[in-house]
Amino acid sequence: MGLSYMKIRVVHGLLPVILLVVSPLQLAADDFGLWLGAGAEKKLGSGWSIGIDGEWRTADRVSVGLLATYKIAKWLKATGGYELQDVRSDGGLTGTGNYYNSTCWHLRHRLFAGLTGTWKTGRWKFSLRERWTYTYAPSYERHRMTMNPELATYGEVTTKEIDAKAKNVLRSRVGVEYDIPKCPLAPYGSVELYNAWNVEKVRYTLGAEYKLNKQNTLKIYYLFQDRKSHDDDEPATDQHVLGVSYGVTF
């Protein structure tokens, strides 16, 4: 009971620190963000498990997903699932400068499947994950205003239908984790490439997983997203992210 109480005190102590760090970052610039996630996994036996998870990204995206995992071998597992996303498309001037588009939210559907291989040596664990994602965004309407760029005046408000679109992306991630002897804290890091015929972005992550007990874990991480190309449904700039996620296993 004493150890559990200490772990709870540690988690409670971390939350104010997270808020203190994130608040000035959010006020400083748009390229800083906070990602909060939570998930639950149920082991079914014979190598199978199912799960549900959700994520909230500051002024960017809200999502919920279902996934299934099958352990092919001790070192290899397959994962697949579906995710529903509500994403924000930034507004601004069109390329011609005759219209000003409003910021709006719209839905996306994502299917994903992949394989993860792991290799352990001593207290180090290395992993390689290859994941294919198919994302479909149905058509939607957004408001826009005509404007005179010379006088900076706005005119009639109209709507424009944005065509549906689909996208395939291959995500390749290399990771490493270290198991500290007699410590519930496990530091980790990873590099992930998003490839859609060319590398669109690269994510660098450093974090730590804290095991509250056998079923509950808490992850805190820093992520830098290096954007190589722009997508209307994604932030146009590089991003610095502070992330916190909670997971429970049954």
Side-chain angles (χ1 to χ4, degrees):
M1 180 175 292
L3 182 58
S4 298
Y5 176 74
M6 288 178 63
K7 290 180 178 180
I8 293 173
R9 289 292 300 274
V10 169
V11 173
H12 285 180
L14 285 173
L15 293 179
V17 175
I18 293 169
L19 293 176
L20 286 173
V21 171
V22 171
S23 298
L25 294 183
Q26 289 298 318
L27 294 173
D30 293 335
D31 57 356
F32 286 93
L34 172 65
W35 294 359
L36 300 177
E41 182 182 25
K42 172 64 178 177
K43 294 183 178 180
L44 303 177
S46 301
W48 284 96
S49 65
I50 56 174
I52 182 172
D53 57 25
E55 187 179 49
W56 174 82
R57 299 182 181 181
T58 313
D60 227 19
R61 188 171 87 184
V62 180
S63 63
V64 60
L66 299 171
L67 67 154
T69 301
Y70 177 67
K71 197 169 186 178
I72 301 172
K74 187 177 180 179
W75 58 274
L76 182 65
K77 66 178 182 180
T79 304
Y82 164 79
E83 189 174 73
L84 176 64
Q85 303 174 347
D86 191 14
V87 298
R88 186 187 74 169
S89 290
D90 290 331
L93 295 175
T94 60
T96 59
N98 296 324
Y99 290 97
Y100 185 88
N101 294 315
S102 65
T103 298
C104 66
W105 290 78
H106 62 96
L107 295 178
R108 293 195 312 198
H109 306 274
R110 174 169 292 175
L111 296 173
F112 60 90
L115 293 171
T116 303
T118 58
W119 175 63
K120 290 184 178 181
T121 174
R123 294 193 170 274
W124 293 92
K125 181 170 75 172
F126 299 90
S127 64
L128 172 63
R129 189 190 74 180
E130 294 289 350
R131 172 176 287 186
W132 162 81
T133 65
Y134 171 78
T135 306
Y136 174 74
S139 62
Y140 63 96
E141 290 186 344
R142 72 185 305 169
H143 297 293
R144 63 179 185 170
M145 294 181 290
T146 57
M147 71 168 296
N148 185 322
E150 295 181 359
L151 302 177
T153 57
Y154 298 94
E156 181 184 4
V157 178
T158 60
T159 59
K160 179 185 179 181
E161 182 170 348
I162 307 300
D163 294 334
K165 62 179 180 180
K167 189 175 185 178
N168 290 282
V169 176
L170 178 64
R171 297 170 52 174
S172 304
R173 187 183 72 186
V174 177
V176 60
E177 180 180 329
Y178 184 72
D179 181 17
I180 302 175
K182 299 180 181 180
C183 179
L185 197 68
Y188 66 89
S190 67
V191 178
E192 184 173 16
L193 278 69
Y194 284 62
N195 196 334
W197 300 111
N198 62 290
V199 177
E200 294 190 332
K201 59 185 175 184
V202 183
R203 284 181 178 173
Y204 304 90
T205 305
L206 287 175
E209 180 179 277
Y210 189 83
K211 295 181 180 179
L212 302 174
N213 51 44
K214 289 183 178 181
Q215 279 118 0
N216 298 272
T217 59
L218 184 70
K219 287 185 178 180
I220 301 176
Y221 60 90
Y222 163 77
L223 180 150
F224 174 67
Q225 182 165 270
D226 181 13
R227 179 161 294 284
K228 304 298 184 181
S229 62
H230 175 56
D231 188 313
D232 291 339
D233 296 335
E234 298 285 350
T237 60
D238 296 340
Q239 277 190 299
H240 300 270
V241 175
L242 180 63
V244 181
S245 65
Y246 167 76
V248 58
T249 304
F250 301 97

